[in-house]
Amino acid sequence: MAKKRILVLFGGASEDHELSLRSAYYVLNGLSSSEYDVIPVGITKAGRWLYFPGDYNAVRDGTWETDPDCCSAILSPDPLHRGLIKLLEDDSSHSLQRIDVVFPVLHGKYGECGQIQALCKLSGIAYVGSGFSAANACADKMLTHLLLNKAGIKTAKYYYIERVDIDEIVARFDEIEETVNYPMYVKAAVKSRSAGTNIAENREELKSAIKLAFSHHHKIIIEEPLYGRVLECIVWGSVYKLNVSAVAETADNFELIIPAEIDESVINEIENTAKTAFMALGCTSFAKMSFKLTENGLYCCKVSNVPGFGKRGIFAMLMEDGGYPYSEMLDLLIDSAKEA
């Protein structure tokens, strides 16, 4: 049986470039060489695509793009090609390599928002993870709030502003304060994970935080913080059969507890809510669900369609707890790749 050709896409032109490199290092090493022909392609911080044939350790330490054997590469949008075009000898010649599955290990604005998924769709190549519309819904926190609330899932109180409203921000302060209590979390609606969320304790800080958030994106979200236990789980499968992992808790000392020590009724609520959220956002294949259990009940905080793939990360550890060691987890994700 012929090996599947897996294009592992890593790096990216976002603040989460280094996070992507760490995730990709584990994915590249975890894919079985007897089952897959692995094709590593990195995207530099400047947005350049490079085929990388070197040692995977260079991906982890960030020196991969200086490898002399790197060459420019393009994922062709033409479904006739269904593959990667390598540009050789100062871009004067090229070769085409067919691809079976693209595995995007890209975090942040240009990897989780749907652009890569849409390119794969145009290319006619199957890809790991949710489709472009679900990816956008997970990445855009305003859409996440709207869709989850419509499905009956509680989220933090929030207020939404676009950059076109900047001239009337001061006039909106009364309305904002009626909707969200101080302290307020102010952040870009679509942002990189490493771009900080600013906290506003009063109007002056709110004004500054709004200005800073608009430097990251044209839409911002102002949220009321939630206080409680941090609980997470994984959902994977299809609309015909959704699976939910054990529930993990991240303790105050950042220790990960699997399974979380919570009542069975709460576990059932999390499982049902996670499935509902998965469907409401249009996710396919898999997603990581983050919740806060507060004195006022359970709130959904985040749905990640491209979670961290570190070997000791929450995603991998929950899947291992469910019977999928790291390499088998990768097999499962590739087998569930969305047909373009």
Side-chain angles (χ1 to χ4, degrees):
M1 184 176 177
K3 295 181 184 180
K4 280 187 178 180
R5 283 182 175 172
I6 311 298
L7 190 160
V8 177
L9 195 55
F10 60 88
S14 81
E15 291 97 333
D16 292 317
H17 182 92
E18 286 76 15
L19 175 61
S20 173
L21 298 186
R22 291 194 295 272
S23 280
Y25 168 79
Y26 289 105
V27 172
L28 290 166
N29 281 289
L31 292 170
S32 170
S33 59
S34 63
E35 294 185 41
Y36 306 114
D37 182 7
V38 180
I39 301 154
V41 173
I43 302 176
T44 69
K45 289 182 178 180
R48 188 182 181 201
W49 289 45
L50 297 173
Y51 166 67
F52 169 70
D55 189 321
Y56 294 157
N57 286 315
V59 174
R60 180 170 58 178
D61 65 25
T63 60
W64 66 273
E65 60 188 86
T66 63
D67 190 299
D69 292 325
C70 281
C71 67
S72 294
I74 301 168
L75 188 64
S76 173
D78 189 337
L80 180 65
H81 296 152
R82 299 181 78 92
L84 184 76
I85 297 175
K86 298 176 184 176
L87 304 176
L88 311 171
E89 298 177 4
D90 298 324
D91 300 345
S92 61
S93 62
H94 68 273
S95 66
L96 173 67
Q97 189 166 24
R98 293 275 182 160
I99 303 296
D100 294 308
V101 176
V102 173
F103 197 139
V105 191
L106 294 168
H107 301 301
K109 289 191 290 186
Y110 304 110
E112 299 183 46
C113 304
Q115 293 97 326
I116 292 298
Q117 293 81 359
L119 176 57
C120 292
K121 181 72 174 178
L122 284 173
S123 303
I125 303 173
Y127 54 95
V128 172
S130 291
F132 58 90
S133 58
N136 184 53
C138 291
D140 188 326
K141 300 314 171 192
M142 185 274 291
L143 290 177
T144 304
H145 275 289
L146 287 175
L147 292 171
L148 293 184
N149 292 164
K150 186 175 180 180
I153 297 171
K154 291 194 294 186
T155 62
K157 292 179 181 179
Y158 73 99
Y159 193 92
Y160 164 70
I161 308 173
E162 293 203 30
R163 188 177 286 131
V164 294
D165 303 320
I166 190 70
D167 292 336
E168 56 184 74
I169 289 299
V170 174
R172 289 195 180 194
F173 277 170
D174 287 341
E175 186 177 349
I176 293 171
E177 291 169 346
E178 288 175 3
T179 306
V180 182
N181 295 320
Y182 289 110
M184 302 175 183
Y185 287 167
V186 184
K187 56 189 175 184
V190 180
K191 69 182 185 70
S192 294
R193 300 182 190 194
S194 54
T197 296
N198 297 288
I199 300 175
E201 300 276 1
N202 52 56
R203 286 194 176 192
E204 193 62 33
E205 291 181 359
L206 177 59
K207 187 176 181 179
S208 298
I210 288 172
K211 183 178 180 180
L212 185 58
F214 275 135
S215 69
H216 290 282
H217 199 263
H218 65 91
K219 299 189 292 186
I220 69 169
I221 290 285
I222 301 171
E223 288 182 335
E224 190 168 289
L226 295 170
Y227 303 101
R229 299 171 69 177
V230 179
L231 303 169
E232 296 182 286
C233 67
I234 308 300
V235 179
W236 75 95
S238 68
V239 292
Y240 305 105
K241 178 174 172 52
L242 287 180
N243 306 283
V244 183
S245 72
V247 177
E249 178 174 9
T250 302
D252 291 340
N253 61 357
F254 299 105
E255 177 189 3
L256 189 65
I257 303 168
I258 303 175
E261 298 173 356
I262 51 178
D263 292 341
E264 190 69 29
S265 61
V266 177
I267 292 175
N268 292 335
E269 183 181 4
I270 289 174
E271 290 178 349
N272 292 330
T273 304
K275 288 180 181 180
T276 301
F278 190 90
M279 298 294 291
L281 295 172
C283 297
T284 53
S285 298
F286 60 89
K288 179 166 74 75
M289 306 284 178
S290 300
F291 298 92
K292 279 282 185 71
L293 181 61
T294 76
E295 60 183 14
N296 295 318
L298 185 71
Y299 291 79
C300 186
C301 300
K302 186 177 182 181
V303 179
S304 301
N305 70 297
V306 186
F309 291 108
K311 206 164 187 179
R312 301 307 298 168
I314 293 175
F315 188 89
M317 291 180 70
L318 281 172
M319 293 300 288
E320 183 175 5
D321 179 78
Y324 294 95
Y326 195 80
S327 291
E328 292 182 24
M329 176 196 79
L330 296 179
D331 294 340
L332 177 69
L333 300 186
I334 289 170
D335 288 343
S336 71
K338 185 180 180 67
E339 291 297 331

